[in-house]
PDB file of all heavy atoms in Angstrom:
ATOM      1  N   GLN A   1     213.403 115.746  69.566  1.00  0.00           N
ATOM      2  CA  GLN A   1     212.650 116.978  69.164  1.00  0.00           C
ATOM      3  C   GLN A   1     211.232 116.829  69.696  1.00  0.00           C
ATOM      4  O   GLN A   1     210.545 115.710  69.635  1.00  0.00           O
ATOM      5  CB  GLN A   1     212.597 117.085  67.612  1.00  0.00           C
ATOM      6  CG  GLN A   1     214.003 117.241  66.972  1.00  0.00           C
ATOM      7  CD  GLN A   1     214.649 118.601  67.424  1.00  0.00           C
ATOM      8  OE1 GLN A   1     213.971 119.543  67.601  1.00  0.00           O
ATOM      9  NE2 GLN A   1     215.964 118.544  67.377  1.00  0.00           N
ATOM     10  N   ALA A   2     210.540 117.927  70.186  1.00  0.00           N
ATOM     11  CA  ALA A   2     209.166 117.901  70.616  1.00  0.00           C
ATOM     12  C   ALA A   2     208.259 117.729  69.398  1.00  0.00           C
ATOM     13  O   ALA A   2     208.514 118.185  68.363  1.00  0.00           O
ATOM     14  CB  ALA A   2     208.914 119.270  71.333  1.00  0.00           C
ATOM     15  N   ASP A   3     207.092 117.082  69.834  1.00  0.00           N
ATOM     16  CA  ASP A   3     206.151 116.860  68.802  1.00  0.00           C
ATOM     17  C   ASP A   3     205.259 118.108  68.807  1.00  0.00           C
ATOM     18  O   ASP A   3     204.654 118.654  69.605  1.00  0.00           O
ATOM     19  CB  ASP A   3     205.209 115.711  69.327  1.00  0.00           C
ATOM     20  CG  ASP A   3     204.186 115.172  68.216  1.00  0.00           C
ATOM     21  OD1 ASP A   3     203.766 116.013  67.424  1.00  0.00           O
ATOM     22  OD2 ASP A   3     203.869 114.036  68.179  1.00  0.00           O
ATOM     23  N   ALA A   4     205.380 118.833  67.458  1.00  0.00           N
ATOM     24  CA  ALA A   4     204.652 120.067  67.322  1.00  0.00           C
ATOM     25  C   ALA A   4     203.157 119.884  67.515  1.00  0.00           C
ATOM     26  O   ALA A   4     202.520 120.836  68.081  1.00  0.00           O
ATOM     27  CB  ALA A   4     204.938 120.586  65.951  1.00  0.00           C
ATOM     28  N   GLN A   5     202.522 118.806  67.111  1.00  0.00           N
ATOM     29  CA  GLN A   5     201.065 118.569  67.317  1.00  0.00           C
ATOM     30  C   GLN A   5     200.706 118.602  68.756  1.00  0.00           C
ATOM     31  O   GLN A   5     199.741 119.145  69.177  1.00  0.00           O
ATOM     32  CB  GLN A   5     200.579 117.412  66.531  1.00  0.00           C
ATOM     33  CG  GLN A   5     199.145 117.201  66.633  1.00  0.00           C
ATOM     34  CD  GLN A   5     198.607 115.973  65.763  1.00  0.00           C
ATOM     35  OE1 GLN A   5     199.514 115.270  65.139  1.00  0.00           O
ATOM     36  NE2 GLN A   5     197.414 115.618  65.990  1.00  0.00           N
ATOM     37  N   LEU A   6     201.471 117.808  69.571  1.00  0.00           N
ATOM     38  CA  LEU A   6     201.231 117.683  70.990  1.00  0.00           C
ATOM     39  C   LEU A   6     201.393 119.027  71.636  1.00  0.00           C
ATOM     40  O   LEU A   6     200.673 119.442  72.589  1.00  0.00           O
ATOM     41  CB  LEU A   6     202.094 116.686  71.645  1.00  0.00           C
ATOM     42  CG  LEU A   6     201.839 115.156  71.171  1.00  0.00           C
ATOM     43  CD1 LEU A   6     202.798 114.257  71.835  1.00  0.00           C
ATOM     44  CD2 LEU A   6     200.450 114.689  71.230  1.00  0.00           C
ATOM     45  N   VAL A   7     202.377 119.872  71.354  1.00  0.00           N
ATOM     46  CA  VAL A   7     202.661 121.066  71.932  1.00  0.00           C
ATOM     47  C   VAL A   7     201.466 121.988  71.692  1.00  0.00           C
ATOM     48  O   VAL A   7     201.131 122.723  72.529  1.00  0.00           O
ATOM     49  CB  VAL A   7     204.010 121.649  71.247  1.00  0.00           C
ATOM     50  CG1 VAL A   7     204.165 123.157  71.805  1.00  0.00           C
ATOM     51  CG2 VAL A   7     205.172 120.817  71.830  1.00  0.00           C
ATOM     52  N   ALA A   8     200.919 121.944  70.367  1.00  0.00           N
ATOM     53  CA  ALA A   8     199.776 122.704  70.153  1.00  0.00           C
ATOM     54  C   ALA A   8     198.608 122.367  70.923  1.00  0.00           C
ATOM     55  O   ALA A   8     197.731 123.274  71.317  1.00  0.00           O
ATOM     56  CB  ALA A   8     199.545 122.690  68.574  1.00  0.00           C
ATOM     57  N   GLU A   9     198.437 121.043  71.190  1.00  0.00           N
ATOM     58  CA  GLU A   9     197.268 120.610  71.968  1.00  0.00           C
ATOM     59  C   GLU A   9     197.485 121.085  73.454  1.00  0.00           C
ATOM     60  O   GLU A   9     196.402 121.419  74.130  1.00  0.00           O
ATOM     61  CB  GLU A   9     197.188 119.124  71.899  1.00  0.00           C
ATOM     62  CG  GLU A   9     196.739 118.519  70.498  1.00  0.00           C
ATOM     63  CD  GLU A   9     196.548 117.023  70.491  1.00  0.00           C
ATOM     64  OE1 GLU A   9     196.584 116.479  71.651  1.00  0.00           O
ATOM     65  OE2 GLU A   9     196.684 116.515  69.399  1.00  0.00           O
ATOM     66  N   LEU A  10     198.643 121.049  74.000  1.00  0.00           N
ATOM     67  CA  LEU A  10     198.809 121.372  75.383  1.00  0.00           C
ATOM     68  C   LEU A  10     198.621 122.979  75.644  1.00  0.00           C
ATOM     69  O   LEU A  10     198.264 123.228  76.765  1.00  0.00           O
ATOM     70  CB  LEU A  10     200.313 121.150  75.714  1.00  0.00           C
ATOM     71  CG  LEU A  10     200.782 119.660  75.903  1.00  0.00           C
ATOM     72  CD1 LEU A  10     202.113 119.515  76.018  1.00  0.00           C
ATOM     73  CD2 LEU A  10     200.013 119.036  77.101  1.00  0.00           C
ATOM     74  N   ARG A  11     198.661 123.721  74.602  1.00  0.00           N
ATOM     75  CA  ARG A  11     198.359 125.201  74.863  1.00  0.00           C
ATOM     76  C   ARG A  11     196.977 125.463  75.318  1.00  0.00           C
ATOM     77  O   ARG A  11     196.659 126.341  76.021  1.00  0.00           O
ATOM     78  CB  ARG A  11     198.667 125.998  73.588  1.00  0.00           C
ATOM     79  CG  ARG A  11     200.096 126.005  73.175  1.00  0.00           C
ATOM     80  CD  ARG A  11     200.358 127.166  72.059  1.00  0.00           C
ATOM     81  NE  ARG A  11     201.715 127.075  71.647  1.00  0.00           N
ATOM     82  CZ  ARG A  11     202.167 126.519  70.455  1.00  0.00           C
ATOM     83  NH1 ARG A  11     201.193 125.910  69.624  1.00  0.00           N
ATOM     84  NH2 ARG A  11     203.463 126.545  70.160  1.00  0.00           N
ATOM     85  N   THR A  12     196.090 124.599  74.824  1.00  0.00           N
ATOM     86  CA  THR A  12     194.590 124.716  75.318  1.00  0.00           C
ATOM     87  C   THR A  12     194.123 123.650  76.145  1.00  0.00           C
ATOM     88  O   THR A  12     192.875 123.475  76.376  1.00  0.00           O
ATOM     89  CB  THR A  12     193.847 124.971  74.013  1.00  0.00           C
ATOM     90  OG1 THR A  12     193.869 123.893  73.176  1.00  0.00           O
ATOM     91  CG2 THR A  12     194.203 126.266  73.225  1.00  0.00           C
ATOM     92  N   ALA A  13     194.991 122.676  76.531  1.00  0.00           N
ATOM     93  CA  ALA A  13     194.474 121.498  77.240  1.00  0.00           C
ATOM     94  C   ALA A  13     193.981 121.795  78.727  1.00  0.00           C
ATOM     95  O   ALA A  13     194.503 122.790  79.364  1.00  0.00           O
ATOM     96  CB  ALA A  13     195.635 120.433  77.294  1.00  0.00           C
ATOM     97  N   ARG A  14     193.012 121.044  79.066  1.00  0.00           N
ATOM     98  CA  ARG A  14     192.534 121.261  80.459  1.00  0.00           C
ATOM     99  C   ARG A  14     193.464 120.251  81.303  1.00  0.00           C
ATOM    100  O   ARG A  14     194.173 119.466  80.872  1.00  0.00           O
ATOM    101  CB  ARG A  14     191.044 120.685  80.648  1.00  0.00           C
ATOM    102  CG  ARG A  14     190.195 121.500  79.800  1.00  0.00           C
ATOM    103  CD  ARG A  14     188.832 121.013  79.903  1.00  0.00           C
ATOM    104  NE  ARG A  14     188.801 119.561  79.280  1.00  0.00           N
ATOM    105  CZ  ARG A  14     187.683 118.767  79.181  1.00  0.00           C
ATOM    106  NH1 ARG A  14     186.612 119.385  79.752  1.00  0.00           N
ATOM    107  NH2 ARG A  14     187.746 117.646  78.684  1.00  0.00           N
ATOM    108  N   TRP A  15     193.394 120.383  82.613  1.00  0.00           N
ATOM    109  CA  TRP A  15     194.133 119.539  83.549  1.00  0.00           C
ATOM    110  C   TRP A  15     193.990 118.116  83.405  1.00  0.00           C
ATOM    111  O   TRP A  15     194.919 117.473  83.464  1.00  0.00           O
ATOM    112  CB  TRP A  15     193.881 119.990  85.044  1.00  0.00           C
ATOM    113  CG  TRP A  15     194.667 119.238  86.090  1.00  0.00           C
ATOM    114  CD1 TRP A  15     194.141 118.153  86.794  1.00  0.00           C
ATOM    115  CD2 TRP A  15     195.998 119.398  86.413  1.00  0.00           C
ATOM    116  NE1 TRP A  15     195.190 117.686  87.674  1.00  0.00           N
ATOM    117  CE2 TRP A  15     196.348 118.454  87.391  1.00  0.00           C
ATOM    118  CE3 TRP A  15     196.891 120.304  86.024  1.00  0.00           C
ATOM    119  CZ2 TRP A  15     197.497 118.394  87.885  1.00  0.00           C
ATOM    120  CZ3 TRP A  15     198.203 120.234  86.597  1.00  0.00           C
ATOM    121  CH2 TRP A  15     198.493 119.226  87.509  1.00  0.00           C
ATOM    122  N   GLU A  16     192.808 117.669  83.265  1.00  0.00           N
ATOM    123  CA  GLU A  16     192.494 116.318  83.100  1.00  0.00           C
ATOM    124  C   GLU A  16     192.963 115.727  81.694  1.00  0.00           C
ATOM    125  O   GLU A  16     192.946 114.480  81.485  1.00  0.00           O
ATOM    126  CB  GLU A  16     191.106 115.959  83.321  1.00  0.00           C
ATOM    127  CG  GLU A  16     190.063 116.742  82.372  1.00  0.00           C
ATOM    128  CD  GLU A  16     189.615 118.016  83.066  1.00  0.00           C
ATOM    129  OE1 GLU A  16     190.386 118.421  83.989  1.00  0.00           O
ATOM    130  OE2 GLU A  16     188.598 118.638  82.636  1.00  0.00           O
ATOM    131  N   ASP A  17     193.213 116.610  80.787  1.00  0.00           N
ATOM    132  CA  ASP A  17     193.773 116.211  79.389  1.00  0.00           C
ATOM    133  C   ASP A  17     195.110 115.940  79.304  1.00  0.00           C
ATOM    134  O   ASP A  17     195.649 115.314  78.244  1.00  0.00           O
ATOM    135  CB  ASP A  17     193.386 117.191  78.402  1.00  0.00           C
ATOM    136  CG  ASP A  17     191.846 117.341  78.301  1.00  0.00           C
ATOM    137  OD1 ASP A  17     191.070 116.420  78.605  1.00  0.00           O
ATOM    138  OD2 ASP A  17     191.300 118.467  77.885  1.00  0.00           O
ATOM    139  N   ILE A  18     195.890 116.556  80.246  1.00  0.00           N
ATOM    140  CA  ILE A  18     197.347 116.367  80.082  1.00  0.00           C
ATOM    141  C   ILE A  18     197.874 114.927  80.133  1.00  0.00           C
ATOM    142  O   ILE A  18     198.840 114.553  79.428  1.00  0.00           O
ATOM    143  CB  ILE A  18     198.078 117.307  81.398  1.00  0.00           C
ATOM    144  CG1 ILE A  18     197.677 118.818  80.922  1.00  0.00           C
ATOM    145  CG2 ILE A  18     199.596 117.134  81.227  1.00  0.00           C
ATOM    146  CD1 ILE A  18     198.304 119.591  82.104  1.00  0.00           C
ATOM    147  N   LYS A  19     197.266 114.142  80.925  1.00  0.00           N
ATOM    148  CA  LYS A  19     197.719 112.807  81.205  1.00  0.00           C
ATOM    149  C   LYS A  19     197.497 111.971  79.814  1.00  0.00           C
ATOM    150  O   LYS A  19     198.347 111.335  79.339  1.00  0.00           O
ATOM    151  CB  LYS A  19     196.827 112.056  82.250  1.00  0.00           C
ATOM    152  CG  LYS A  19     196.954 110.602  82.325  1.00  0.00           C
ATOM    153  CD  LYS A  19     198.265 110.117  82.679  1.00  0.00           C
ATOM    154  CE  LYS A  19     198.291 108.527  82.950  1.00  0.00           C
ATOM    155  NZ  LYS A  19     199.640 108.116  83.265  1.00  0.00           N
ATOM    156  N   GLY A  20     196.417 112.174  79.197  1.00  0.00           N
ATOM    157  CA  GLY A  20     196.107 111.593  77.909  1.00  0.00           C
ATOM    158  C   GLY A  20     197.131 112.072  76.727  1.00  0.00           C
ATOM    159  O   GLY A  20     197.593 111.284  75.940  1.00  0.00           O
ATOM    160  N   ILE A  21     197.443 113.258  76.731  1.00  0.00           N
ATOM    161  CA  ILE A  21     198.398 113.718  75.726  1.00  0.00           C
ATOM    162  C   ILE A  21     199.861 113.110  76.029  1.00  0.00           C
ATOM    163  O   ILE A  21     200.571 112.865  75.057  1.00  0.00           O
ATOM    164  CB  ILE A  21     198.467 115.287  75.829  1.00  0.00           C
ATOM    165  CG1 ILE A  21     197.097 115.894  75.379  1.00  0.00           C
ATOM    166  CG2 ILE A  21     199.506 115.780  74.913  1.00  0.00           C
ATOM    167  CD1 ILE A  21     197.009 117.411  75.468  1.00  0.00           C
ATOM    168  N   ALA A  22     200.185 113.142  77.437  1.00  0.00           N
ATOM    169  CA  ALA A  22     201.517 112.460  77.669  1.00  0.00           C
ATOM    170  C   ALA A  22     201.597 111.096  77.286  1.00  0.00           C
ATOM    171  O   ALA A  22     202.575 110.486  76.762  1.00  0.00           O
ATOM    172  CB  ALA A  22     201.828 112.701  79.000  1.00  0.00           C
ATOM    173  N   ASP A  23     200.435 110.160  77.412  1.00  0.00           N
ATOM    174  CA  ASP A  23     200.526 108.846  77.007  1.00  0.00           C
ATOM    175  C   ASP A  23     200.712 108.719  75.468  1.00  0.00           C
ATOM    176  O   ASP A  23     201.126 107.582  74.980  1.00  0.00           O
ATOM    177  CB  ASP A  23     199.111 108.293  77.455  1.00  0.00           C
ATOM    178  CG  ASP A  23     199.040 108.141  78.881  1.00  0.00           C
ATOM    179  OD1 ASP A  23     200.150 108.205  79.518  1.00  0.00           O
ATOM    180  OD2 ASP A  23     197.886 107.993  79.407  1.00  0.00           O
ATOM    181  N   ARG A  24     200.264 109.715  74.579  1.00  0.00           N
ATOM    182  CA  ARG A  24     200.409 109.516  73.252  1.00  0.00           C
ATOM    183  C   ARG A  24     201.850 110.142  72.746  1.00  0.00           C
ATOM    184  O   ARG A  24     202.117 110.029  71.502  1.00  0.00           O
ATOM    185  CB  ARG A  24     199.316 110.435  72.449  1.00  0.00           C
ATOM    186  CG  ARG A  24     198.034 109.822  72.655  1.00  0.00           C
ATOM    187  CD  ARG A  24     196.909 110.400  71.738  1.00  0.00           C
ATOM    188  NE  ARG A  24     196.489 111.825  72.251  1.00  0.00           N
ATOM    189  CZ  ARG A  24     196.933 112.941  71.642  1.00  0.00           C
ATOM    190  NH1 ARG A  24     197.554 112.908  70.573  1.00  0.00           N
ATOM    191  NH2 ARG A  24     196.321 114.071  72.149  1.00  0.00           N
ATOM    192  N   CYS A  25     202.662 110.582  73.590  1.00  0.00           N
ATOM    193  CA  CYS A  25     203.985 111.099  73.278  1.00  0.00           C
ATOM    194  C   CYS A  25     204.915 109.961  73.002  1.00  0.00           C
ATOM    195  O   CYS A  25     205.041 109.127  73.778  1.00  0.00           O
ATOM    196  CB  CYS A  25     204.568 112.057  74.389  1.00  0.00           C
ATOM    197  SG  CYS A  25     206.048 112.838  74.023  1.00  0.00           S
ATOM    198  N   ARG A  26     205.594 110.028  71.816  1.00  0.00           N
ATOM    199  CA  ARG A  26     206.588 109.147  71.496  1.00  0.00           C
ATOM    200  C   ARG A  26     207.968 109.688  70.933  1.00  0.00           C
ATOM    201  O   ARG A  26     208.613 109.010  69.961  1.00  0.00           O
ATOM    202  CB  ARG A  26     206.031 108.036  70.388  1.00  0.00           C
ATOM    203  CG  ARG A  26     204.880 107.198  70.943  1.00  0.00           C
ATOM    204  CD  ARG A  26     205.363 106.072  71.773  1.00  0.00           C
ATOM    205  NE  ARG A  26     204.366 105.153  72.137  1.00  0.00           N
ATOM    206  CZ  ARG A  26     203.381 105.339  73.097  1.00  0.00           C
ATOM    207  NH1 ARG A  26     203.451 106.415  73.789  1.00  0.00           N
ATOM    208  NH2 ARG A  26     202.413 104.470  73.398  1.00  0.00           N
ATOM    209  N   VAL A  27     208.254 110.836  71.369  1.00  0.00           N
ATOM    210  CA  VAL A  27     209.373 111.564  70.679  1.00  0.00           C
ATOM    211  C   VAL A  27     210.602 111.061  71.132  1.00  0.00           C
ATOM    212  O   VAL A  27     211.662 111.481  70.502  1.00  0.00           O
ATOM    213  CB  VAL A  27     209.138 113.122  70.990  1.00  0.00           C
ATOM    214  CG1 VAL A  27     207.819 113.648  70.331  1.00  0.00           C
ATOM    215  CG2 VAL A  27     209.175 113.409  72.396  1.00  0.00           C
ATOM    216  N   CYS A  28     210.743 110.343  72.219  1.00  0.00           N
ATOM    217  CA  CYS A  28     212.078 110.010  72.801  1.00  0.00           C
ATOM    218  C   CYS A  28     212.003 108.479  73.115  1.00  0.00           C
ATOM    219  O   CYS A  28     211.047 107.876  73.182  1.00  0.00           O
ATOM    220  CB  CYS A  28     212.459 110.731  74.073  1.00  0.00           C
ATOM    221  SG  CYS A  28     211.390 110.429  75.497  1.00  0.00           S
ATOM    222  N   PRO A  29     213.262 107.809  73.076  1.00  0.00           N
ATOM    223  CA  PRO A  29     213.199 106.366  73.447  1.00  0.00           C
ATOM    224  C   PRO A  29     212.710 105.934  74.754  1.00  0.00           C
ATOM    225  O   PRO A  29     212.430 104.702  74.907  1.00  0.00           O
ATOM    226  CB  PRO A  29     214.818 106.173  73.365  1.00  0.00           C
ATOM    227  CG  PRO A  29     215.377 107.258  72.532  1.00  0.00           C
ATOM    228  CD  PRO A  29     214.575 108.374  72.933  1.00  0.00           C
ATOM    229  N   MET A  30     212.443 106.824  75.723  1.00  0.00           N
ATOM    230  CA  MET A  30     211.866 106.561  76.921  1.00  0.00           C
ATOM    231  C   MET A  30     210.500 106.001  76.879  1.00  0.00           C
ATOM    232  O   MET A  30     210.086 105.240  77.649  1.00  0.00           O
ATOM    233  CB  MET A  30     211.989 107.617  77.941  1.00  0.00           C
ATOM    234  CG  MET A  30     213.383 107.992  78.442  1.00  0.00           C
ATOM    235  SD  MET A  30     213.260 109.322  79.736  1.00  0.00           S
ATOM    236  CE  MET A  30     212.709 110.722  78.765  1.00  0.00           C
ATOM    237  N   ALA A  31     209.808 106.427  75.843  1.00  0.00           N
ATOM    238  CA  ALA A  31     208.465 105.957  75.490  1.00  0.00           C
ATOM    239  C   ALA A  31     208.192 104.466  75.356  1.00  0.00           C
ATOM    240  O   ALA A  31     207.323 103.886  75.719  1.00  0.00           O
ATOM    241  CB  ALA A  31     207.749 106.793  74.416  1.00  0.00           C
ATOM    242  N   ALA A  32     209.301 103.905  74.803  1.00  0.00           N
ATOM    243  CA  ALA A  32     209.277 102.446  74.456  1.00  0.00           C
ATOM    244  C   ALA A  32     209.499 101.495  75.749  1.00  0.00           C
ATOM    245  O   ALA A  32     209.217 100.416  75.750  1.00  0.00           O
ATOM    246  CB  ALA A  32     210.274 102.115  73.445  1.00  0.00           C
ATOM    247  N   GLU A  33     210.221 102.247  76.724  1.00  0.00           N
ATOM    248  CA  GLU A  33     210.521 101.432  77.917  1.00  0.00           C
ATOM    249  C   GLU A  33     209.654 101.721  79.095  1.00  0.00           C
ATOM    250  O   GLU A  33     209.699 101.067  80.149  1.00  0.00           O
ATOM    251  CB  GLU A  33     212.013 101.724  78.390  1.00  0.00           C
ATOM    252  CG  GLU A  33     212.983 101.366  77.212  1.00  0.00           C
ATOM    253  CD  GLU A  33     214.409 101.531  77.634  1.00  0.00           C
ATOM    254  OE1 GLU A  33     214.675 101.877  78.807  1.00  0.00           O
ATOM    255  OE2 GLU A  33     215.331 101.473  76.690  1.00  0.00           O
ATOM    256  N   ARG A  34     208.865 102.742  79.121  1.00  0.00           N
ATOM    257  CA  ARG A  34     208.071 103.190  80.277  1.00  0.00           C
ATOM    258  C   ARG A  34     206.886 102.208  80.461  1.00  0.00           C
ATOM    259  O   ARG A  34     206.406 101.447  79.487  1.00  0.00           O
ATOM    260  CB  ARG A  34     207.485 104.550  80.163  1.00  0.00           C
ATOM    261  CG  ARG A  34     206.414 104.643  79.059  1.00  0.00           C
ATOM    262  CD  ARG A  34     206.018 106.076  78.676  1.00  0.00           C
ATOM    263  NE  ARG A  34     204.919 106.035  77.690  1.00  0.00           N
ATOM    264  CZ  ARG A  34     204.743 107.242  76.920  1.00  0.00           C
ATOM    265  NH1 ARG A  34     205.499 108.310  76.961  1.00  0.00           N
ATOM    266  NH2 ARG A  34     203.685 107.079  76.073  1.00  0.00           N
ATOM    267  N   THR A  35     206.346 102.073  81.686  1.00  0.00           N
ATOM    268  CA  THR A  35     205.153 101.444  82.011  1.00  0.00           C
ATOM    269  C   THR A  35     203.971 102.356  82.134  1.00  0.00           C
ATOM    270  O   THR A  35     202.787 101.940  81.540  1.00  0.00           O
ATOM    271  CB  THR A  35     205.228 100.671  83.344  1.00  0.00           C
ATOM    272  OG1 THR A  35     206.411  99.815  83.346  1.00  0.00           O
ATOM    273  CG2 THR A  35     204.086  99.814  83.775  1.00  0.00           C
ATOM    274  N   ASN A  36     204.181 103.645  82.796  1.00  0.00           N
ATOM    275  CA  ASN A  36     203.134 104.585  82.785  1.00  0.00           C
ATOM    276  C   ASN A  36     203.899 105.925  82.720  1.00  0.00           C
ATOM    277  O   ASN A  36     205.081 106.191  83.150  1.00  0.00           O
ATOM    278  CB  ASN A  36     202.451 104.588  84.195  1.00  0.00           C
ATOM    279  CG  ASN A  36     201.510 103.314  84.304  1.00  0.00           C
ATOM    280  OD1 ASN A  36     200.561 103.281  83.672  1.00  0.00           O
ATOM    281  ND2 ASN A  36     201.938 102.468  85.162  1.00  0.00           N
ATOM    282  N   THR A  37     203.150 106.900  82.162  1.00  0.00           N
ATOM    283  CA  THR A  37     203.617 108.282  82.243  1.00  0.00           C
ATOM    284  C   THR A  37     203.239 108.861  83.616  1.00  0.00           C
ATOM    285  O   THR A  37     202.220 108.412  84.291  1.00  0.00           O
ATOM    286  CB  THR A  37     202.980 109.173  81.260  1.00  0.00           C
ATOM    287  OG1 THR A  37     201.516 109.038  81.340  1.00  0.00           O
ATOM    288  CG2 THR A  37     203.334 108.795  79.819  1.00  0.00           C
ATOM    289  N   VAL A  38     204.079 109.624  84.213  1.00  0.00           N
ATOM    290  CA  VAL A  38     203.883 110.201  85.644  1.00  0.00           C
ATOM    291  C   VAL A  38     203.658 111.679  85.451  1.00  0.00           C
ATOM    292  O   VAL A  38     204.661 112.331  85.141  1.00  0.00           O
ATOM    293  CB  VAL A  38     205.001 109.803  86.420  1.00  0.00           C
ATOM    294  CG1 VAL A  38     204.958 110.224  87.859  1.00  0.00           C
ATOM    295  CG2 VAL A  38     205.331 108.278  86.399  1.00  0.00           C
ATOM    296  N   VAL A  39     202.440 112.152  85.576  1.00  0.00           N
ATOM    297  CA  VAL A  39     202.081 113.530  85.369  1.00  0.00           C
ATOM    298  C   VAL A  39     202.212 114.337  86.658  1.00  0.00           C
ATOM    299  O   VAL A  39     203.054 115.195  86.769  1.00  0.00           O
ATOM    300  CB  VAL A  39     200.758 113.602  84.717  1.00  0.00           C
ATOM    301  CG1 VAL A  39     200.345 115.156  84.555  1.00  0.00           C
ATOM    302  CG2 VAL A  39     200.784 112.936  83.443  1.00  0.00           C
TER     303      VAL A  39
END
């Protein structure tokens, strides 16, 4: 399930903010195994 708070932040996020929001995403098991988010 998508994180409702992150979805709300993305609606008004700037281009340079998307990377930081993706780094805070933990909604799926892939977040525990990743090294970096790839935006």
Side-chain angles (χ1 to χ4, degrees):
Q1 302 292 330
D3 190 328
Q5 182 179 353
L6 297 182
V7 172
E9 293 181 18
L10 286 170
R11 292 193 184 103
T12 58
R14 298 174 301 175
W15 178 257
E16 57 269 17
D17 297 334
I18 297 178
K19 170 67 175 175
I21 298 175
D23 291 340
R24 291 190 284 115
C25 181
R26 294 288 187 275
V27 299
C28 67
M30 290 186 294
E33 301 183 9
R34 74 189 179 202
T35 303
N36 290 293
T37 56
V38 183
V39 177

